[in-house]
Each structure stands twice: as structure tokens, then as C-alpha cells.
Amino acid sequence: MSTFNTSENEISIFFLTGIPGMEHANIWVSIPICLMYLVAILGNCTILFFIKSEPSLHEPMYYFLSMLALSDLGLSLSSLPTMIRIFLFNAPGISPDACFVQEFFIHGFSAMESSVLLIMSLDRFIAICHPLRYTSILTSARVINIGLAFSLKNVLLILPFPFTLKHLRYCKKSLLSHSYCLHQDVMKLACSDNKVNVIYGLFVAVTGILDLTFIFMSYMMILKAVLRIASQKQRLKVLNTCVSHICAVLIFYVPIISLAVIYRFAKHSPALIRILMADGFLLVPPLMNPIVYCVKSQQIRNRILGKLGQKHN
């Protein structure tokens, strides 16, 4: 049989994994998962609503925050269908084509989130190191162009994934390791040569590492500029403007790095730990980012409290 036959000719369905040993309690597990998705979707929609409706929030920093909220929404909605099917309806099966589509959106929005975090670090760098030139550098038109350029870059970067997976043969194994489809997880099921997938997957991973490297470099330059400020009170005030973004970076990258370390150096660790960390990678950032920015951003917090006060009156 030809190496380039589609997966439908071999295996007609893949099976996703819920939480091992807790299949009997899926309905109970679905309750906190659904609540997390609900809070994440409502939180990010709230961020987008206030940024769009409040003229005082029409600034580069909040435009970038709206891009982050859109990435988080995309990440939540991409994984939601299979999570609901597994834990609420106990239906782990997924067709190969649906699986390839899901992994495209999950990887695409993950790459977009990484890019937005990089853009936001550059925003903080310009605001702190070149405050007088901030508005002239980050004009509205330039912000839109940056967003579109990075979106196009990430679409083109992830677009080969589903096509390279579709050209593999899947003739023996059909059980995936997570509650959603990932490129590296699907390609391990192939019984044909997946060398192209491995190499391209590594290339995509390197782009994510580069994003993190540039974020780190931005903060090194920010720290260098802050240390030049004589007043300690002023230093803390300047650094406080970065706290929300630093939290968002940690929330996004810590689960990814931890999961990569476990897969590389602790292959015999319990499957439950790996699965919970993988699920957390998709659930936690969309859930926590709106909370962090609502708590730390006084302008957004005041707008939300103001609206709630009007309704209460």
C-alpha cells in the first residue's frame, strides 16, 4: 500500500484519553472543567467588550491585550468540543480529519499567544525605555499591521501540520495520549515514515523558544533601564506596569516547559501527571489571564466595577 494513502483507508477513528482510572467519574470531572471553560470564555469576552467600548482603553497596550484575549478564546474553543465529548458524554472517539483540524487550531492559537506575549514585552520595553517616543512608534495603524503580520506568520507556520499528518498511514495504534489532538501525539501513531513531521515539529518548537528568548532579552533591557532610575519608589512603580505581563508569560510557558522536561527526562512518571499538566496547558492560561489583568490593571478594573455599580443602582 502506498505511503501516501490517507489515514481514513487505515484507521477510521482515533481515541482520546480522559483521566486514567477516573473514567467512572467523568460526569463529576466535567463539572469543574465546564466551569473553567465558562469563566475563561466570559472573562476574555469581558476584556474584549471593555476594550472595544471604552475610548480610554484605545491604547497600544490594551490593543495587544485584546489580541491575547482573542488567542485565549481561540485556545479554549479549540479544545472545548473534545473535552466535553470525553467528560460529559463519555465519547472519546474522533475522526482523523476532525483531529487534524483541531490540532491545527490548537497549535495555531498557541503560536499566536506566544507571539502576542512577545509583542507585549516589546510594548513594555518601548514604554519604559523610550517613553517620549512611545505614541509615535506604536501608532494605531502600526499596531494593526503588527497583529496582522504575526497572525499571518502563525497561520503559515502551522498550516503544514494537518497536511503532513494526513499523508501518513495509521494502521495499528489509535489511542492518543491527551483529551485533544496534538501534532506530536498524532504522528507517533503513524506506521509510515514520519521524519518530515518530526523535523518540522522541531522547527515550530524552535520558533516558540525564540519568542521566549526575545521576551527574556526585552526584560533584561527593561531591568537595565529601571536600575538607572535613582528613586526606589519610582523603580517599583515602573516595574509594577510589567507584573501582569510577567504573570501571563509564566502562566503560558511554565506548563509547556514543565511538560517538555517530564517527557524528556521523566518518561516513566505517572501518566496522570502528564495528562493533568497537558490539560492545564490549555485550561489555565485562558482562565487566569483575564483574572490577572482585571486585578492588576486599574483602568479595566475601574470600568468593570463602574458597570457593576450602575447595574446595582
Side-chain angles (χ1 to χ4, degrees):
M1 191 174 287
S2 170
T3 302
F4 295 99
N5 280 351
T6 60
S7 60
E8 291 90 340
N9 292 330
E10 304 294 333
I11 287 177
S12 60
I13 192 166
F14 294 143
F15 292 96
L16 299 161
T17 300
I19 299 179
M22 295 189 65
E23 290 82 2
H24 63 283
N26 274 351
I27 189 68
W28 298 108
V29 175
S30 70
I31 294 173
I33 288 176
C34 289
L35 285 175
M36 291 174 75
Y37 273 112
L38 182 63
V39 173
I41 291 169
L42 287 177
N44 285 291
C45 286
T46 299
I47 294 281
L48 290 170
F49 170 76
F50 279 101
I51 291 175
K52 184 179 185 300
S53 61
E54 293 291 337
S56 62
L57 299 179
H58 292 176
E59 299 175 6
M61 181 176 73
Y62 295 106
Y63 291 144
F64 295 138
L65 177 56
S66 67
M67 293 180 197
L68 185 66
L70 283 171
S71 301
D72 282 334
L73 270 177
L75 211 51
S76 293
L77 295 174
S78 298
S79 59
L80 179 62
T82 52
M83 287 280 203
I84 294 298
R85 278 171 57 85
I86 291 171
F87 294 108
L88 199 57
F89 301 109
N90 197 28
I94 184 172
S95 69
D97 283 343
C99 190
F100 301 153
V101 170
Q102 185 186 48
E103 63 89 24
F104 167 76
F105 282 109
I106 287 176
H107 285 290
F109 284 113
S110 297
M112 190 63 206
E113 181 135 352
S114 179
S115 295
V116 173
L117 291 172
L118 169 60
I119 297 168
M120 294 175 85
S121 72
L122 296 176
D123 168 76
R124 291 298 84 208
F125 167 73
I126 296 169
I128 293 170
C129 299
H130 304 284
L132 298 179
R133 298 175 57 201
Y134 180 77
T135 53
S136 62
I137 294 174
L138 291 177
T139 61
S140 296
R142 195 162 287 166
V143 168
I144 293 170
N145 289 335
I146 290 171
L148 290 174
F150 273 91
S151 298
L152 181 61
K153 184 268 288 185
N154 289 313
V155 169
L156 294 177
L157 182 69
I158 303 300
L159 192 60
F161 272 0
F163 295 103
T164 56
L165 288 176
K166 193 173 177 65
H167 281 82
L168 296 175
R169 288 174 56 206
Y170 305 90
C171 51
K172 293 179 182 178
K173 297 179 288 185
S174 61
L175 181 64
L176 295 165
S177 305
H178 304 297
S179 306
Y180 48 85
C181 295
L182 290 178
H183 176 263
Q184 60 268 32
D185 199 19
V186 176
M187 72 180 184
K188 288 178 183 177
L189 301 182
C191 54
S192 58
D193 185 13
N194 62 1
K195 198 174 295 182
V196 172
N197 300 72
V198 172
I199 293 170
Y200 192 73
L202 286 173
F203 171 72
V204 173
V206 167
T207 63
I209 294 170
L210 286 175
D211 286 347
L212 183 58
T213 303
F214 287 131
I215 291 170
F216 180 77
M217 290 171 60
S218 297
Y219 273 101
M220 287 298 98
M221 290 185 283
I222 287 171
L223 190 60
K224 187 177 178 181
V226 169
L227 291 175
R228 294 197 196 105
I229 301 172
S231 167
Q232 185 176 0
K233 185 179 179 180
Q234 193 65 23
R235 286 181 190 174
L236 293 174
K237 185 178 179 181
V238 171
L239 287 174
N240 191 51
T241 64
C242 301
V243 170
S244 299
H245 179 256
I246 292 171
C247 289
V249 171
L250 293 175
I251 288 167
F252 181 73
Y253 281 106
V254 167
I256 295 176
I257 294 171
S258 301
L259 198 60
V261 169
I262 287 175
Y263 271 103
R264 179 66 181 86
F265 300 105
K267 295 180 180 178
H268 301 295
S269 61
L272 178 62
I273 293 176
R274 297 197 299 269
I275 289 171
L276 289 177
M277 289 187 68
D279 289 347
F281 154 63
L282 290 187
L283 288 169
V284 174
L287 174 70
M288 292 304 298
N289 284 338
I291 295 172
V292 168
Y293 275 95
C294 286
V295 170
K296 292 301 297 178
S297 175
Q298 187 176 355
Q299 284 182 281
I300 293 178
R301 187 172 68 249
N302 289 343
R303 297 300 180 280
I304 293 174
L305 292 176
K307 289 286 184 183
L308 291 175
Q310 288 176 8
K311 289 182 179 179
H312 183 70
N313 293 332

